[in-house]
Amino acid sequence: MPSLTNGGIMAERKKVKVVGKEGAGAPPGYKWSVHVLDRAYDEAVGFLSKPQYQHLALQVQELARQKDPTRSDLVDVRSIEAFHEIRDKGGVLGSLNVRVFFSVDKDDRSILILGAIKKQNNGPTPLGDKVRMRRRLRKFKNGDFGTISD
């Protein structure tokens, strides 16, 4: 979404943000950098309270500390096509059944947060959401989201 700069010229908001860097974070530090699409952030804050968002952010941070963020003893992660989802429900989330979609780039040692949804059923992840995440991942790989910024 564009925003006004001091000169009154419209500047576009960064579409991908770095929220964690490999080696940063509390000891022992992150083993993976974390990038978030602005669309993913907008989706999440659209249905999560601040404590709920922080809870899921902590889960992503935990994955960034893992040797392999696609497998965790502490975070429920499932593979979907060429990306993965964090599955969470209950606790601070209350009755929300939340999915956070992400991709892993092993060469770059980065986790890319693609999106978040509030599932309305207990079945498989809806096809429309899978298609949307697949499209976002493809666009990211094609450079359609621009450069990554801190």
Side-chain angles (χ1 to χ4, degrees):
M1 168 178 279
S3 62
L4 284 177
T5 63
N6 289 340
I9 299 172
M10 298 297 278
E12 190 171 326
R13 182 173 78 176
K14 290 292 184 181
K15 295 179 182 177
V16 183
K17 194 104 170 126
V18 176
V19 296
K21 290 188 177 184
E22 182 182 1
Y30 302 130
K31 295 181 180 174
W32 299 81
S33 294
V34 178
H35 306 153
V36 178
L37 295 180
D38 68 339
R39 293 176 183 181
Y41 174 79
D42 291 345
E43 283 173 347
V45 298
F47 68 87
L48 295 170
S49 68
K50 188 171 184 175
Q52 291 169 332
Y53 181 89
Q54 290 172 336
H55 167 75
L56 291 166
L58 288 171
Q59 291 204 10
V60 172
Q61 290 173 359
E62 180 59 37
L63 291 181
R65 290 184 182 93
Q66 303 294 313
K67 181 179 178 182
D68 179 359
T70 65
R71 303 178 197 284
S72 175
D73 291 334
L74 302 174
V75 180
D76 185 0
V77 176
R78 300 287 166 97
S79 178
I80 300 180
E81 300 176 2
F83 51 92
H84 299 81
E85 67 179 0
I86 295 171
R87 302 164 9 123
D88 202 358
K89 183 178 181 180
V92 70
L93 297 175
S95 63
L96 294 180
N97 186 358
V98 178
R99 299 294 184 264
V100 177
F101 301 97
F102 68 96
S103 165
V104 174
D105 183 334
K106 292 184 179 183
D107 294 331
D108 191 36
R109 298 207 47 84
S110 65
I111 299 168
L112 173 66
I113 306 300
L114 298 165
I117 64 166
K118 173 177 62 173
K119 278 190 67 189
Q120 301 297 326
N121 60 34
N122 288 323
T125 301
L127 180 59
D129 294 314
K130 290 181 192 180
V131 169
R132 190 170 67 255
M133 298 310 143
R134 189 183 321 136
R135 183 177 54 243
R136 288 181 186 173
L137 180 56
R138 183 180 64 248
K139 289 178 80 170
F140 175 79
K141 288 180 177 181
N142 288 338
D144 294 349
F145 291 118
T147 59
I148 296 172
S149 68
D150 294 337

